Each structure stands twice: as structure tokens, then as C-alpha cells.
């Protein structure tokens, strides 16, 4: 079966086991692996490299697209393989090691890793490990369910290892559009002007001589673990859909809106799901990941095209998609994350960007990454790329967490990933605050009344009034008590008085 | 004299006094005025409008390019004219009113104001007031020493008032390149691929029927008030120049570097001045403002081209430039701030961006705007546009302020304008920390040892060690004492123990 998948003459000689391929690695190497929000990650090499770590003490810097599936990050972290890790992760074991200071984690805007590698701001990739569905007649690597940073890794690495996943349908070929910006100075504009436009090649072009190993696999992607919409996320969705309807009514948006982006996770998925059956049609999507909701909108016919860097679906959806790729072929493209998240393109297209906040403060500063200001959750991902350059930057969150013990709307964010400058709208299940054109004190009043959970509203209002009276300024804060809620939670298990 | 300057037939009939033109304004209007870092601001209308505010209680939203000169913001604020002000300011009186909550100040990335106006995210401009050196045969408005948002204001406003400044040399014509991105969807790539490229028109194209008034003026721009380099800023400059030399030696940069950007102010000017006589040559600049140092580099022959949105010089330099524009004509272009600061262009060109921090923390999060976390200084300006999209994002600051009572390197920034994700290098007079590819805990060690003033180093080191031990996490912080230094300063007048 793999002979149809390895079409460049002679390359089948490089077939070997993952264990054999793992012998190519040396201590201290920088390794680039495919994988973006659990899609298109390598299935065999992580375990083989973990085995080398246990046996020989191998330790590497691992750079991926984004998070991996199949517990790979946990297996590798547990084995002590990962000295450094970037630009994103989502694994409980690795997270624990990062927060213990045992793995150095560099949290990056997902559009920037490739640029920084190319510029030499990061050490160059020694070995790239890429999941593929085929190697073309010309030696081109055809990625599977994500592109991520794979093109950049493969083009920079001295050696490339391919994981040829025979369980991925060959029909995934032609779903990818590979474009890599040229060197500076002299770089040309990226020619993309609409979501469905092809600007690159159908496979990652590398010199086949650098393909050092081909490993056969047949494990599937890990399914998405997002939760179905609940009453609160549906309420958030209603607020956002209502807001967008208001923008259409005011003539600021067409009924086809502008290209949509939605962050990974349950809440953003629910918001997008809330558009199913809405009056909007002819919509497009330009996002980094397509979740179930994107396919709901493709199926409802409201979404005419979806561009992203990965497809991460629930188990049922995933299998249905792989069984019937043809059905979506004309309305889907997967691009390098540098392109799906590129400031040049995002600013040009003018997205409606919907991302999830861990907490946000009175003034609309957003914490997307650090629980309690110290402990990494997953990473900033693409949220900064999108929020900064969007036509409308919307952040959503449930108003409380931990069974109501924690308010997501706080006096001061304990860590800032997105500053007030990059946040146009915030919404919880209680309401939506349209912050456009408002000064910080005006933003505060709106956020308190519209978004804060009623149980915390009085105390937040009182804090704001005290801050105005005692500290004053453009952005009134009381430095002596700005984190009092968080300290109370640490000491008592609840932010409640 | 003005007849050569008003070349569109019949327009001289719209000549009137500033007082007459001020009668065109109605309460609640949104007014767009030229002016960027004191250059090319309107000289007569601010006082005339302030008079209307005193007489009739006129109150407006004022949007400019950036800061105004001639105490105009102070005069207008004092008269009660300014209900809302964006996107930047630099005036002591206005600052006081903003921090008292009397003027609503919306602090914006300077690239974004025009985009938000066009998108309807901000209320539309009613009247544009633009300083010009001429009105062309076609009715085009030729700006003076800055472009700022003037093209966007003039094209959106229902009425345009021109301040024709007869003291500005006619030789300023042909120095401008006016390009406005098209509507979405369907926007085309901005074709600019090198600093010196012309992509637009030489004047702002408007329907002359909308030019409602022409007011003659002859006052000069306010001179820049930056201080000359001192021992500390020279030391910062040496560290930055040494770092860039290291990048050239490592083969990551050519001796012509990449296009330079330097923020407004004494320190960034000193750093750029530090390049005079350096081994670098054939350099270019793609910045928002050109200060004395840019002209020093043009004069030394090391700078082959400088593109910006404004020219803000010391009194001596300013007059010398205006007396001899021809000398610089072939090496200068002034662009709309949307273009000088545009993410698309900045990411494409790959700048070396040098901006000033008010304070930065252990982990490289930068506060550019809020003294003590509450009180607005000037605004974020273009620093976010540049820091986010640069090839190298460098922030500079003296290590202490207020005669040594205040450390600029703090446990936690009291307000975050630039997150760790957007900061590659920080430097004070003590040294430079190259943060590329480092995790937060690694960044902290380097920032303490290289950048913190020795008087604060032990305490900062102790804080960091305590935070690692007691809180842990990706970014160790002690929420109960993160602002202890700031509170000590508030209570004792010094951060010192």
C-alpha cells in the first residue's frame, strides 16, 4: 500500500523503524515536529525518542506547530527528553514540568516561530519529523491534517524524517497550500487577498536527498476533547451573534460578515456553533484551526470557504471527514501557520476574531495563559496574532470558574497577554461590552455592569470607585489590593469574601 | 504669496480667518487634525476653537496623528474643548485633565486609528483640519512636515479646513507619498517592498468642493525638546551598537543592517546617534518620526534613505532642514502613519525597532505609558506596531529615574503595553539582555544581572528566588508583594528599602 504513497523513485530504501530513525538524533539537537492542536502530529517518533532519552539521556529542544496529541508531549516530558519546548503545548504532564521549572517553555505567537527560525533569532532546526500522507513524484512532502510549521522545519533541517501515516486517506492530497515568505531584504507581498485563494504549492518542496528516513504508521489523530455547548456558552454565543447582527443592521458589516476566526476550545467553538441557523450566509473562515463548529457551518451551507492550518475534530466528526474528504475538498485549504496567522494577511482581510480569555480585568486587559499569574496553561497560541490585526477582536469567557469560586472578571489581570489596545469586545454569559472608542474608565463601567457575575459585581464596582477616588489616573488601580481576590483564592479556595 | 500655494482655481474664495472657520464647528463633532510629534500641526485653529469653547461651551472629540506642538493640546484642554482625545498626546495640561478623568483619552496603536475610522469602529470625522504647504492644480492637499492621519481625515470628513502655512517652504512639495489601503473585502497587498519606494500620490486627493475654508498661518513647528546624549544614554547606545555588531559578526545581519526604527524621545535618539561613526553603512530607516539623529546619519552618509510620517527636530536642525530641503529630497519620504507603522510592511521589511520603556519587569514585560500603573504619560504611540512586527524588538531605558529613587527594572510591570512575546532585547546603561529563545526564568536571571541598577539588584534577585520557591510556575511572581517597590515609592518617595 505504501508504494503508491512513496512516489519519488528510490525513496522506499529509506524505510526504517522509528527506533532506527531515533538513532539519528544527538544530544542538544533542535527538532521540529509536525502537529497543530493534536492534528497531523507524529505518532511513532515521540515514543522512540522518549526511549532514547530513558536509555541514553537524550535531551533536545522540541519545536512544533502547536499542541500534540496521543499524549506525546507527556511521554516525552516524562522521559526527560524535552530540555526546551516551544511555541505551544496542551499536555498535563508537560505543563507540570514547565511550571516546576524543569522544562524551559518559550511561549510564542504562532505566526512568529517560523520567522524567528528563518531570521536566526532561534537556533536552526537539525532534524524535522513530519507526518505525511504521501511523497510526490518530485519528492514533495504532502502533510496530513495540519500544516503548522512543517514546511519551514523541512526546508531548514539538515535531515528530514517522514512519518507516512497509512491510516490517513490519500484523498487529503490537494488540500494543502504551501507558501513560505522569501528572505529579507527584498521580500515580496504575500499575494493572498481572499480566504479561498491558492498562492503556493500542493506539497512541501525539499531536496529528497535530505529525507533521511521514512517511518510507516497507522495511528489516527487524537480526537478533540471540547465539550458540547451548554447553557452558558450558548448564552455567550447569543450575545456575540446579537452583536454581529447589530453591526450588520448598522451597515458596518455585510450579512456575509468578514472572515471568521475562532480560537481552539469549548467556548469559541460554541460561539461559532451559535452561528448555525443565524441569518448570516455566504460566510468565510480564515482561522488557525477548524473545529466541529466550522464543519457544522460548512454543512449548513452558510460557510462557503474555510482556510486554516489544522483540522481538529471530535471522534465522530473526524472519521466522517476522513471518510468523505471529497465532500469538502472545494471549500477547504490548509496553510502553514505562518500564513494562517500572518499579520499581513489578517490586517488585509479584516477578520472577526473570537478568542477565549482565562481572565480579563476592568479595563479589558486579557490573560490567556497564566493561571494565578504564574502557572502556564497552554500558551498564547495565535490569539495575539488575531486579536492585534482583526477588524473586530472579541474575547469570550464564562464569568466564573471553579464552581463559582473564581471570577474571570478581575480588578487587574495577573498576567497580560492582550492589552486593552487589542480588545474591542468582551463577553460572558451575562452580557457583552462593546469597548470600541471608549477610554479605560468608560470601559470599566461597561465591563462591570455587562460582563461581571452578579455575585462579584458589587465588590468590583466598589473597587473601581475606590481606585478612581484614591489613585485616579487614566487607568485607576490600587496597587495594594489589585490582586486581593487572587490572594483570597489562594488562601481560602475562593475569591468570594 | 499665497496665490502660488492655492493653485486650484477659485479656491482662494474660501480664504477666511481662523475665527470664521471656527464657526463651522458644532457641539459633539468629531474633528481630525493634522500633527504628529509636534510636526505639521495646525497653528491657528486650536486657539480659535478654544475661544469657541470658552464662549459657547463647544466640546468635541479630537483625533490627531499624534502629539501636537505649540501648547495647542493644553490650550484646548484648558478651555474645556476636548471631551474625547485620541490616539496620542504629549502635553502637561492635557495629561493632567486626562488623569483626573476630565478628558476621555483613548490610547491607540498609531497604525490603527485610520483603519478603525474607515471600518466604522470609531465615529466618522465631521471636519478635518489640515496644515498644508500648497493646494495643487487638482485640488490636492500637500501636507507640511508630517502626514499622520491627515489623508484619512480629509478623505472621510464632510468638510475640510486647510491651514496654509506660508512659513513652510514650498520645497516641501514632493516629499510626501500618500497611499490609503482600499476597502475590505477585496483589499490588495500594499506594494511597498523597500524604504525608498513611492507607492502613492504626492498630495492628498480630495474633492475641492469639500474644502470649506482656507486659513493662512505663518508660525513654525515647535522644536523638539529632546536632551542631548549623556553618559548613560551613550552607554545604552554602546550596548545596542555592540549587540548589532555581534549580529553582523554572526552573519545574521549585513553591515547595512535592516531598516531602523527609533521611537520618539531622548534615549532612542541617543541610541541612533550612537550609530554615527559606527562601522555600519548603507543603512535605511523606516520609522514613524525622524529626529536629529536621523539627520546626523543622513549627513554622515551612513543612512541612504529615511521614510517616516513626520520630521521633528531641534530648533537649529529644523531651520537648517527647511532652508535646504533640496539637500535631503532624494533620501526622504513622508507617509501616512498607517503606512509608516503598518504591520504588513513592518513584518515584510523586518525592522530593527528601538523603543523606550518607562519600566520593564523581570520577564521583559514593558510598561510604556502608565506611571505607577495608573497615570498616563503620553500613550503607546507606534511602539506596539513596531515591537510586534520587528525583526528585532529592542527596548531601552535608564535603569533608574527620579535621581535614583525609582528602579526602571521592577518585579512586575504595573501596566503592560508590550508583553514578553514582543520583546527580544532590553538594555539599560548597565548592559543588554538578549532574551531571544529564552524562557521566562532564564530571561529573569539575565535581566537582573545585565540591566538592573546594582543598588536594586540584590533585592530583585532575592524577590525572584523567593518567587521561584514560593509560587513557582512558568512566570514566578508573588502577587502579595509584586508591587511592593511601587507602594514603597508612593509612601516614602523612594523604591529603596
Amino acid at each position: 500500500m505504501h508504494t503508491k504513497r512513496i512516489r519519488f523513485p528510490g525513496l522506499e530504501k529509506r524505510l526504517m523503524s522509528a527506533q532506527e530513525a531515533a538513532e539519528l538524533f544527538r544530544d542538544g539537537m533542535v527538532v521540529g515536529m509536525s502537529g497543530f492542536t493534536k492534528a497531523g502530529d507524529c505518532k511513532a517518533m515521540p515514543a522512540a525518542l522518549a526511549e532514547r532519552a530513558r536509555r541514553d539521556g537524550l535531551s533536545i529542544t522540541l519545536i512544533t506547530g502547536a499542541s500534540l496529541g496521543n499524549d506525546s508531549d507527556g511521554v516525552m516530558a516524562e522521559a526527560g527528553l524535552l530540555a526546551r519546548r516551544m511555541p505551544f503545548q496542551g499536555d498535563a504532564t508537560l505543563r507540570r514540568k514547565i511550571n516546576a521549572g524543569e522544562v524551559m517553555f518559550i511561549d510564542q505567537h504562532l505566526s512568529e516561530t517560523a520567522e524567528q527560525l528563518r531570521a536566526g533569532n532561534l537556533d536552526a532546526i537539525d532534524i524535522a519529523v513530519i507526518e505525511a500522507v504521501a511523497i510526490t513524484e518530485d519528492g514533495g512532502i504532502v502533510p496530513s491534517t495540519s500544516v503548522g510549521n512543517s514546511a519551514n522545519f523541512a526546508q531548514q533541517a539538515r535531515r528530514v524524517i517522514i512519518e507516512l501515516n497509512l491510516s490517513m486517506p490519500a484523498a487529503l492530497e490537494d488540500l494543502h497550500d504551501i507558501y513560505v515568505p522569501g528572505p529579507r531584504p527584498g521580500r515580496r507581498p504575500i499575494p493572498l487577498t481572499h480566504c479561498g485563494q491558492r498562492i503556493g504549492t500542493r506539497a512541501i518542496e525539499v531536496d529528497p536527498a535530505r529525507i533521511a528516513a521514512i517511518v510507516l504508521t497507522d495511528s489516527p489523530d487524537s480526537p478533540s476533547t471540547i465539550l458540547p455547548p451548554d447553557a452558558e456558552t450558548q448564552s455567550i454565543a447569543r450575545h456575540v451573534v446579537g452583536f454581529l447582527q447589530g453591526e450588520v443592521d448598522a451597515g458596518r458589516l455585510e450579512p456575509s460578515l468578514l472572515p471568521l476566526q475562532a480560537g481552539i476550545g469549548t467556548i469559541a467553538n460554541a460561539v461559532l456553533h451559535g452561528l448555525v441557523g443565524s441569518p448570516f450566509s455566504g460566510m468565510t473562515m480564515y482561522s488557525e484551526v477548524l473545529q466541529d463548529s466550522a464543519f457544522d457551518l460548512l454543512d449548513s451551507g452558510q460557510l462557503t470557504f474555510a482556510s486554516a492550518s489544522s483540522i481538529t475534530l471530535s471522534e465522530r466528526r473526524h472519521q466522517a471527514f476522513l471518510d468523505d474528504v471529497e465532500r469538502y475538498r472545494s471549500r477547504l485549504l490548509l496553510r502553514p501557520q505562518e500564513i494562517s496567522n500572518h499579520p499581513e494577511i489578517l490586517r488585509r482581510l479584516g477578520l472577526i476574531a473570537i478568542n477565549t480569555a482565562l481572565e480579563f480585568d476592568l479595563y479589558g486587559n486579557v490573560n490567556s495563559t497564566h493561571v494565578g499569574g504564574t502557572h502556564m496553561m497552554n500558551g498564547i497560541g495565535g490569539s495575539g496574532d488575531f486579536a492585534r490585526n482583526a477588524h473586530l477582536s472579541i474575547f469570550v469567557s464564562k464569568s466564573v470558574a471553579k464552581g463559582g469560586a473564581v471570577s474571570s472578571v478581575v480588578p487587574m489581570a495577573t498576567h497580560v497577554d492582550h492589552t486593552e489596545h487589542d480588545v474591542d469586545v468582551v463577553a460572558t454569559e451575562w452580557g457583552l461590552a462593546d469597548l470600541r472608542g471608549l477610554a479605560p474608565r468608560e470601559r470599566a463601567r461597561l465591563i462591570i455592569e455587562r460582563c461581571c457575575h452578579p455575585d462579584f459585581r458589587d465588590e468590583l464596582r466598589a473597587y473601581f470607585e475606590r481606585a478612581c477616588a484614591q489613585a485616579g489616573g487614566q487607568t485607576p488601580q490600587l496597587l495594594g489590593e489589585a490582586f486581593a481576590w487572587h490572594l483570597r483564592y489562594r488562601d481560602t479556595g475562593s475569591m468570594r469574601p
Side-chain angles (χ1 to χ4, degrees), chain A residues 114-328:
Chain A
E115 190 81 85
Q116 293 197 22
L117 282 167
R118 200 165 37 227
N121 286 344
L122 295 173
D123 289 339
I125 301 286
D126 292 300
I127 299 184
V129 191
I130 313 287
E131 176 169 281
V133 294
I135 299 170
T136 68
E137 294 74 1
D138 309 316
I141 302 164
V142 181
S144 60
T145 47
S146 73
V147 178
N149 284 318
S150 295
N152 311 81
F153 293 157
Q155 290 180 359
Q156 182 173 74
R158 284 179 289 124
R159 288 172 146 180
V160 180
I161 296 172
I162 304 295
E163 280 202 7
L164 198 65
N165 190 329
L166 302 177
S167 81
M168 292 280 183
L172 288 174
E173 277 198 59
D174 281 0
L175 215 59
H176 311 90
D177 186 47
I178 310 296
Y179 181 95
V180 175
R184 297 158 170 162
R187 182 179 294 176
R188 309 300 307 167
I190 303 172
L192 194 149
T193 60
H194 61 89
C195 294
Q197 186 180 351
R198 275 194 175 275
I199 59 172
T201 57
R202 282 164 163 76
I204 299 168
E205 295 177 347
V206 294
D207 175 1
R210 286 194 288 121
I211 298 181
I214 301 172
V215 175
L216 300 181
T217 69
D218 59 5
S219 303
D221 283 344
S222 294
S224 161
T225 53
I226 56 165
L227 303 171
D230 62 19
E232 282 151 5
T233 58
Q234 284 172 336
S235 180
I236 296 171
R238 271 195 304 276
H239 296 309
V240 173
V241 172
F243 168 77
L244 294 176
Q245 186 60 56
E247 291 297 294
V248 173
D249 295 344
R252 285 189 289 267
L253 286 174
E254 297 294 318
S256 56
L257 305 180
L258 279 166
L260 297 163
Q261 176 264 336
I264 189 80
T266 298
I267 305 182
N269 184 62
V271 172
L272 217 58
H273 187 85
L275 291 170
V276 176
S278 72
F280 309 125
S281 62
M283 292 185 283
T284 56
M285 208 166 162
Y286 196 84
S287 196
E288 57 184 21
V289 54
L290 301 179
Q291 302 185 89
D292 284 20
S293 51
F295 282 76
D296 294 337
L297 286 167
L298 286 167
D299 288 350
S300 78
Q302 292 170 276
L303 198 60
T304 60
F305 205 93
S307 164
S309 194
S310 84
I311 296 174
T312 303
L313 300 173
S314 63
E315 195 144 18
R316 183 185 61 81
R317 271 283 188 197
H318 186 64
Q319 201 48 57
F321 166 65
L322 292 183
D323 290 346
D324 196 8
V325 175
E326 288 308 326
R327 185 170 166 211
Y328 299 100

Side-chain angles (χ1 to χ4, degrees), chain A residues 24 59 88 94 112 116 173 250 260 295 321 329-330 337 354 361 398 400 405 425 429 435-436 438 455 458 476 479:
Chain A
L24 298 171
S59 165
F88 189 84
L94 175 55
E112 292 191 1
Q116 293 197 22
E173 277 198 59
L260 297 163
F295 282 76
F321 166 65
R329 180 183 300 289
S330 64
Q337 69 197 70
I354 303 162
D361 70 19
K398 292 191 181 187
V400 290
V425 170
E429 72 276 20
L435 307 174
R436 292 175 293 173
L438 298 185
D455 289 358
D458 285 345
L479 297 188

Side-chain angles (χ1 to χ4, degrees), chain A residues 6 8-14:
Chain A
I6 306 177
F8 186 81
L11 264 191
E12 63 281 354
K13 285 184 212 147
R14 315 255 166 87

Side-chain angles (χ1 to χ4, degrees), chain A residues 37-80:
Chain A
T37 53
K38 303 199 212 178
D41 57 340
C42 293
K43 310 301 193 289
M45 289 304 298
L49 289 168
E51 180 54 35
R52 284 239 16 230
R54 281 188 294 269
R55 201 181 68 215
D56 315 326
L58 181 73
S59 165
I60 62 169
T61 293
L62 177 63
I63 311 181
T64 56
S67 58
L68 305 180
N70 297 292
D71 300 322
S72 291
D73 258 324
V75 168
M76 291 188 285
E78 201 62 77

Side-chain angles (χ1 to χ4, degrees), chain A residues 310-388:
Chain A
S310 84
I311 296 174
T312 303
L313 300 173
S314 63
E315 195 144 18
R316 183 185 61 81
R317 271 283 188 197
H318 186 64
Q319 201 48 57
F321 166 65
L322 292 183
D323 290 346
D324 196 8
V325 175
E326 288 308 326
R327 185 170 166 211
Y328 299 100
R329 180 183 300 289
S330 64
R331 294 185 290 160
L332 277 186
L333 274 181
L334 294 182
R335 308 180 187 275
Q337 69 197 70
E338 184 176 14
I339 302 301
S340 66
N341 291 31
H342 202 290
E344 170 172 344
I345 307 297
L346 305 188
R347 186 77 168 256
R348 182 181 301 149
L349 297 180
L351 306 195
I352 297 169
I354 303 162
N355 290 286
T356 307
L358 206 58
E359 65 178 6
F360 56 90
D361 70 19
L362 273 181
Y363 301 107
N365 298 289
V366 171
N367 176 5
S368 296
T369 54
H370 282 68
V371 178
T374 54
H375 281 59
M376 175 56 58
M377 178 61 80
N378 298 330
I380 192 168
S383 57
D385 294 320
F386 292 103
R388 172 66 65 88

